[in-house]
Amino acid sequence: MVAVTPVRSDEPKSDAVERLLDHVAALPFEIAALLADRGFYAGASIERLDAAASVALPVIRGGKQMAEKLDTTISYWTEYVMYEGSERELRFPLAVCVSYQQGNRGKHGLLVRAYVACDLADRTPKEVEALYQKRSAIETAFRTMREARARTSTTDPTVRLLFVLVSFLLRNLWLIVRWGVLATPRRGGRALPAWFRFEVFREWIDHVLDDTLDRKWEAPTNGVGIPATYSQLDAG
């Protein structure tokens, strides 16, 4: 599910958070956790997110107090005070996570990250970080969406939103075909075809839209399809 709300340049992010959470509150399920990016690292946004559910979001490095919190070689829990001494003072749990870069991307040594971690005290700092890393699927979704999005110079928000929605639909269709049609059945689940990248799927779409292109692909189906429990919709 994707919820979208327009945000004016002069509007606080906390107001946009409020509108999105109002949409989510109307749905028939509870929020397990809110994983926000560091763009929401502000007092008003943190307070609004914390009032709705557990929160994990990375901090913005800066200031003597934060530097002292990050000057460590071990993961630990602590408390951070934002806007200390002012009327806006805000205190929240801070999960400081230390990991070792063993040559990943050519980097070595300690890597220290910190996360606002409201209502997550039952987890270790490393578990908070693992929870936040679930956002990677969201980041991947947006990256692949952009690969399929039509380019336009129009400033009409309706047209631009339409192009975004179509690109997300194409991505979702790719996921359905990859898992429901091409994935190989095996014990414990299905093996996803590594060759069926999103760019390959886009080539399929190009082929259908342009009958002058030569067909260069062949894909045997798995003969299983998607289970009825996943494909049926309840009209009641």
Side-chain angles (χ1 to χ4, degrees), residues 167-187:
S167 57
F168 268 122
L169 288 174
L170 288 174
R171 182 184 184 276
N172 287 347
L173 182 58
W174 166 63
L175 293 174
I176 292 171
V177 172
R178 186 177 62 156
W179 186 83
V181 180
L182 301 179
T184 304
R186 66 178 180 182
R187 178 176 296 180

Side-chain angles (χ1 to χ4, degrees), residues 83-117:
Y83 315 129
E84 187 173 10
S86 71
E87 295 181 355
R88 298 185 298 161
E89 181 174 294
L90 175 65
R91 296 175 180 270
F92 54 78
L94 190 72
V96 181
C97 305
V98 177
S99 57
Y100 296 87
Q101 303 179 93
Q102 300 176 345
N104 296 332
R105 300 180 179 178
K107 298 180 180 179
H108 299 271
L110 293 179
L111 177 63
V112 183
R113 297 189 181 96
Y115 301 86
V116 177

Side-chain angles (χ1 to χ4, degrees), residues 8-29:
R8 299 190 309 272
S9 60
D10 61 342
E11 180 183 28
K13 286 188 174 68
S14 56
D15 290 351
V17 171
E18 187 85 33
R19 288 198 303 275
L20 282 175
L21 292 179
D22 286 343
H23 288 306
V24 174
L27 299 173
F29 54 76

Side-chain angles (χ1 to χ4, degrees), residues 43-213:
S45 295
I46 293 173
E47 286 183 309
R48 181 62 187 92
L49 292 168
D50 184 29
S54 302
V55 179
L57 70 91
V59 303
I60 294 178
R61 295 170 179 264
K64 181 179 178 180
Q65 183 188 177
M66 184 59 71
E68 291 175 349
K69 301 290 187 183
L70 300 180
D71 185 16
T72 180
T73 58
I74 59 173
S75 301
Y76 72 104
W77 277 101
T78 185
E79 182 183 65
Y80 186 79
V81 184
M82 182 179 283
Y83 315 129
E84 187 173 10
S86 71
E87 295 181 355
R88 298 185 298 161
E89 181 174 294
L90 175 65
R91 296 175 180 270
F92 54 78
L94 190 72
V96 181
C97 305
V98 177
S99 57
Y100 296 87
Q101 303 179 93
Q102 300 176 345
N104 296 332
R105 300 180 179 178
K107 298 180 180 179
H108 299 271
L110 293 179
L111 177 63
V112 183
R113 297 189 181 96
Y115 301 86
V116 177
C118 301
D119 197 27
L120 293 171
D122 59 333
R123 303 173 186 246
T124 66
K126 298 294 280 186
E127 288 173 337
V128 171
E129 183 169 60
L131 172 66
Y132 184 77
Q133 288 175 346
K134 292 181 180 294
R135 270 186 57 93
S136 62
I138 301 173
E139 304 295 343
T140 300
F142 274 89
R143 177 179 56 79
T144 53
M145 177 275 292
R146 293 188 185 101
E147 293 176 6
R149 187 180 61 192
R151 300 293 186 262
T152 179
S153 59
T154 181
T155 58
D156 187 334
T158 302
V159 175
R160 298 180 71 88
L161 177 58
L162 174 63
F163 287 169
V164 169
L165 293 178
V166 169
S167 57
F168 268 122
L169 288 174
L170 288 174
R171 182 184 184 276
N172 287 347
L173 182 58
W174 166 63
L175 293 174
I176 292 171
V177 172
R178 186 177 62 156
W179 186 83
V181 180
L182 301 179
T184 304
R186 66 178 180 182
R187 178 176 296 180
R190 302 187 186 191
L192 297 175
W195 63 269
F196 189 56
R197 302 179 303 279
F198 189 54
E199 62 185 280
V200 174
F201 178 71
R202 297 202 322 268
E203 290 179 2
W204 288 18
I205 300 297
D206 289 340
H207 174 80
V208 172
L209 296 178
D210 188 349
D211 56 12
T212 65
L213 296 176

